[in-house]
Amino acid sequence: MCDVCIINAVKDRMLSRRGFFTAAASVGAATALAPLGAPAALAQGHAKVEDLTHAYGADFPTYFGVPGISMEQNFNFAANGFNLMTLTVNEHTGTHIDAPLHFSADGASVDAIPVHDLIAPLCKIDIAARAAGDADTQVTPDDLKAWIAANGEIPDGACVALFSGWGSKTGSEAFRGFDGEKQHYPGFHVEAAQMLLETGARSIASDTLSLDHGMSADFATHYAWLPTGRFGIECLANLDKVPASGATIVVGAPKHRGGTGGPARIFALI
């Protein structure tokens, strides 16, 4: 079949499908489950979606202070009729997952994280006011107890997220808080992580570069949490836009075999 014939056949097929869906929409409009343009998931009791993922490139801050991503354009639209790039990515760049394998000899890799752990009740622990005056502050068991007193027990399968306000600092050196010797930003105290191990929580998350606070020399929280088969999330965005409880986090984890983590698209249903 000639190229022109193929193009015309595709056009006819698309017009036919468009007509079918237009008719179907007219018939079914009265029984629609969600407002026009809203994701179907919102029909299940959520009012909106918040993106918890930073857009990132070579300038996004990383733990080691070097670019975590590079992009090479292999094909471009002007010359080839399509665009295609090759990405070189450090797994722990931008909004990303820490798989159990990241801090254990034989833990689960990122592709082995159970899919049912990737959709979870979101519990936000707000320490932003304290962090504004103390970059080295940490989530402690007292913070968790205060959250439980206000919101009830931490749900099974929950993702417990630290909100420090650090997400607004990604465009500056303040996100790393490097003073020439150590980094400075909030994290989870190891005792808080140990307390969460006694709950049904399956993941912890932070809006900073690490689950541990920046000054940590031993990564105690990573070592306490990840080898148990649970996972972590770092560099979350927009936690100021989600409630302390009641939201659902959806984690679009990468699935490369043997990965220790990787950039992820994450959002909250509210």
Side-chain angles (χ1 to χ4, degrees), residues 80 118 124 164 197 219 228 230:
N80 309 110
L118 301 177
K124 183 178 79 171
S164 68
L197 291 176
F219 298 104
T228 68
R230 296 164 174 84

Side-chain angles (χ1 to χ4, degrees), residues 36-102:
L36 182 64
L42 299 188
Q44 306 305 314
H46 298 95
K48 61 179 179 177
V49 180
E50 287 292 349
D51 192 353
L52 304 184
T53 315
H54 288 289
Y56 70 100
D59 59 344
F60 193 91
T62 64
Y63 185 85
F64 294 106
V66 297
I69 180 173
S70 63
M71 302 170 63
E72 177 187 358
Q73 185 150 13
N74 307 105
F75 299 90
N76 66 79
F77 191 83
N80 309 110
F82 64 98
N83 293 306
L84 186 149
M85 297 185 182
T86 294
L87 302 181
T88 301
V89 181
N90 179 308
E91 289 177 306
H92 299 273
T93 298
T95 303
H96 68 273
I97 305 297
D98 280 6
L101 183 60
H102 186 36

Side-chain angles (χ1 to χ4, degrees), residues 113-157:
I113 295 174
V115 67
H116 56 74
D117 285 347
L118 301 177
I119 301 176
L122 179 60
C123 306
K124 183 178 79 171
I125 312 298
D126 187 344
I127 62 167
R130 196 164 77 228
D134 180 9
D136 300 319
T137 192
Q138 301 176 73
V139 167
T140 67
D142 285 342
D143 293 312
L144 299 179
K145 291 173 185 176
W147 188 94
I148 291 169
N151 301 282
E153 295 297 324
I154 292 171
D156 286 344

Side-chain angles (χ1 to χ4, degrees), residues 97-234:
I97 305 297
D98 280 6
L101 183 60
H102 186 36
F103 271 76
S104 58
D106 57 359
S109 55
V110 70
D111 57 301
I113 295 174
V115 67
H116 56 74
D117 285 347
L118 301 177
I119 301 176
L122 179 60
C123 306
K124 183 178 79 171
I125 312 298
D126 187 344
I127 62 167
R130 196 164 77 228
D134 180 9
D136 300 319
T137 192
Q138 301 176 73
V139 167
T140 67
D142 285 342
D143 293 312
L144 299 179
K145 291 173 185 176
W147 188 94
I148 291 169
N151 301 282
E153 295 297 324
I154 292 171
D156 286 344
C159 173
V160 179
L162 175 167
F163 170 54
S164 68
W166 242 244
S168 64
K169 301 178 185 288
T170 55
S172 72
E173 291 297 320
F175 192 69
R176 290 184 75 229
F178 187 58
D179 64 7
E181 295 184 3
K182 295 183 181 295
Q183 299 179 47
H184 298 273
Y185 44 77
F188 284 89
H189 193 284
V190 65
E191 292 178 0
Q194 290 166 340
M195 178 177 170
L196 287 171
L197 291 176
E198 302 301 318
T199 73
R202 296 297 300 165
S203 59
I204 57 175
S206 175
D207 59 357
T208 70
L209 273 170
S210 180
L211 304 177
D212 285 275
H213 72 312
M215 290 185 68
S216 174
D218 59 7
F219 298 104
T221 295
H222 279 81
Y223 281 115
W225 187 259
L226 297 179
T228 68
R230 296 164 174 84
F231 69 95
I233 307 170
E234 294 169 339

